[in-house]
Amino acid sequence: MEPELSIVIPLYNEVDNVEPLYADVTAAMAELGRSYEVIVVDDGSRDGSFPRLADIHARDERWRIIRFRRNFGQAAGFAAGFDAAQGEVVITLDADLQNDPRDIPKLLAKMDEGYDIVSGWRMDRKEPFISRRLPSMMANRMISGSTGVALHDYGCSLKAYRREVAKGIRLYGELHRFMPALASWMGVTVAEVPVNDRKRQFGASKYGISRTFRVFLDLITVQFFLGYSTRPLHVFGGAGLLAGGLGLLIGVYLTFVKLVLGQDIGTRPLLLLAVLLVLLGVQLVSMGLLAEMITRTYYEAQNKPIYAVREVLGPTLDV
Ligand code: UDP
Ligand code: MG
């Protein structure tokens, strides 16, 4: 029998958090009274987390453990968990006890209203302002503004997804922070609920201040993928036409100056600009065409659909 809920927890070097996590989740889920499985993805821990997890699995079969060969990062952890998840609803959680499993019923109540993703919002965060909350606030603004999925707290791991939505998100690098935005290509409804934020008691955070810059770069990737991954020529070609067109105009003007007015143009900076713009235009358009070919390989080699179906009335051609 499939469980109703799958709880996915990426875990990396959290040895002292394993037992409290088990106790916390189990207590919260006992109150809720729905069937569930927990998928802990041990992301290559080297601090003895795995034997503790194995011990829990031996006690409680609902806890499934996936152990990575090495540290692949939190996004890979989520991806492995999503692949393995069987529940109708998939809930993600941090292993370090900063999220409170007692908030899970709140997320589920919101899911029952029909949303595809419900995101936790840590309204009262317990972390330092300058190094953590300020960059996070700016990142949330930027991601919300440019991806069109407005959330106050992208960084909160406590989120709930409908199974087919979770399985439709393709994660790379550290893009797990953008999961609701990445899911938006399918056309999803997203809601937020305030959740509890707790201080980390055991172990240390795995990320430093450099995360801020990586998030900014990732934002460019996500925006490109969301907007243009099926039509890259529209980005490159657009810029290319603009540059090339402008270069051509300047060229025509310079030709006029030379042939009609009879002035020398060899020393004019404008000539250099015209040549630069025309070359740039040609380069950008051909880059766009190359990107179009890569896009076709990307979608067709993996049989990736360019659409997502909500439901079908009447027979389908699926076998
Ligand atoms: N984590 C992971 N792999 C990594 C880094 C982190 O699975 O490479 C897990 C970690 O064990 C924790 C969660 O991801 O459960 C969030 O990490 P952390 O608490 O360090 O991030 P922060 O709360 O400081 O943003
Ligand atoms: Mg944490």
Side-chain angles (χ1 to χ4, degrees):
M1 254 279 283
E2 282 175 15
E4 291 167 81
L5 308 172
S6 296
I7 303 176
V8 170
I9 311 177
L11 180 148
Y12 177 49
N13 289 349
E14 307 279 4
V15 63
D16 293 320
N17 286 316
V18 171
E19 281 297 337
L21 177 71
Y22 176 70
D24 234 23
V25 171
T26 308
M29 295 312 287
E31 258 173 65
L32 185 64
R34 293 209 208 179
S35 63
Y36 68 96
E37 63 177 353
V38 177
I39 303 167
V40 181
V41 183
D42 178 4
D43 185 11
S45 298
R46 274 160 311 193
D47 66 345
S49 295
F50 183 74
R52 301 220 180 166
L53 289 168
D55 191 49
I56 286 174
H57 169 72
R59 263 181 284 157
D60 188 340
E61 281 203 330
R62 291 173 299 193
W63 284 61
R64 301 163 58 197
I65 319 296
I66 297 173
R67 184 186 192 183
F68 283 172
R69 287 188 173 274
R70 64 166 175 89
N71 180 242
F72 283 94
Q74 209 178 337
F78 282 125
F82 290 167
D83 286 341
Q86 299 172 288
E88 201 53 47
V89 171
V90 180
I91 294 157
T92 55
L93 199 69
D94 273 350
D96 58 1
L97 305 172
Q98 286 190 272
N99 300 134
D100 188 345
R102 270 165 215 86
D103 287 318
I104 291 175
K106 271 199 264 178
L107 298 185
L108 293 174
K110 204 75 189 166
M111 286 298 268
D112 290 340
E113 290 175 25
Y115 289 98
D116 296 313
I117 299 177
V118 177
S119 173
W121 173 11
R122 298 163 295 180
M123 280 179 122
D124 177 24
R125 284 183 70 177
K126 303 290 187 299
E127 295 186 310
F129 183 75
I130 294 289
S131 64
R132 289 269 164 153
R133 270 152 51 205
L134 184 68
S136 156
M137 252 165 59
M138 296 191 316
N140 284 310
R141 287 266 166 82
M142 283 197 291
I143 302 171
S144 297
S146 64
T147 63
V149 182
L151 287 181
H152 290 93
D153 194 0
Y154 264 89
C156 180
S157 283
L158 182 55
K159 289 180 164 54
Y161 304 82
R162 238 164 260 296
R163 177 178 47 199
E164 63 277 13
V165 169
K167 289 186 187 279
I169 302 174
R170 283 281 156 268
L171 283 173
Y172 297 92
E174 296 188 8
L175 295 188
H176 58 279
R177 304 195 182 89
F178 297 83
M179 283 199 290
L182 288 174
S184 73
W185 76 269
M186 292 180 249
V188 292
T189 49
V190 185
E192 271 183 312
V193 294
V195 296
N196 194 7
D197 184 43
R198 304 187 290 190
K199 256 209 168 75
R200 194 189 245 283
Q201 288 188 329
F202 307 108
S205 171
K206 310 296 179 294
Y207 302 103
I209 189 77
S210 69
R211 155 162 71 184
T212 314
F213 303 101
R214 298 202 303 265
V215 167
F216 182 71
L217 291 173
D218 283 345
L219 182 62
I220 301 176
T221 311
V222 170
Q223 213 181 353
F224 178 77
F225 261 81
L226 283 181
Y228 295 100
S229 66
T230 56
R231 48 190 188 105
L233 185 58
H234 288 183
V235 184
F236 295 110
L241 285 185
L242 205 72
L246 202 64
L248 222 59
L249 273 182
I250 299 175
V252 168
Y253 165 72
L254 287 177
T255 312
F256 173 80
V257 169
K258 171 80 188 168
L259 293 184
V260 180
L261 305 183
Q263 297 171 7
D264 279 348
I265 57 166
T267 52
R268 298 189 61 164
L270 216 49
L271 183 64
L272 210 61
L273 184 66
V275 173
L276 178 81
L277 284 176
V278 170
L279 279 181
L280 192 69
V282 173
Q283 293 269 297
L284 281 171
V285 171
S286 24
M287 197 147 92
L289 286 170
L290 283 179
E292 287 280 341
M293 292 179 69
I294 293 171
T295 297
R296 277 157 182 66
T297 318
Y298 173 74
Y299 280 93
E300 282 161 29
Q302 307 178 54
N303 258 331
K304 259 175 83 77
I306 57 165
Y307 55 83
V309 177
R310 188 195 297 269
E311 54 190 319
V312 178
L313 304 177
T316 61
L317 290 175
D318 275 0
V319 269

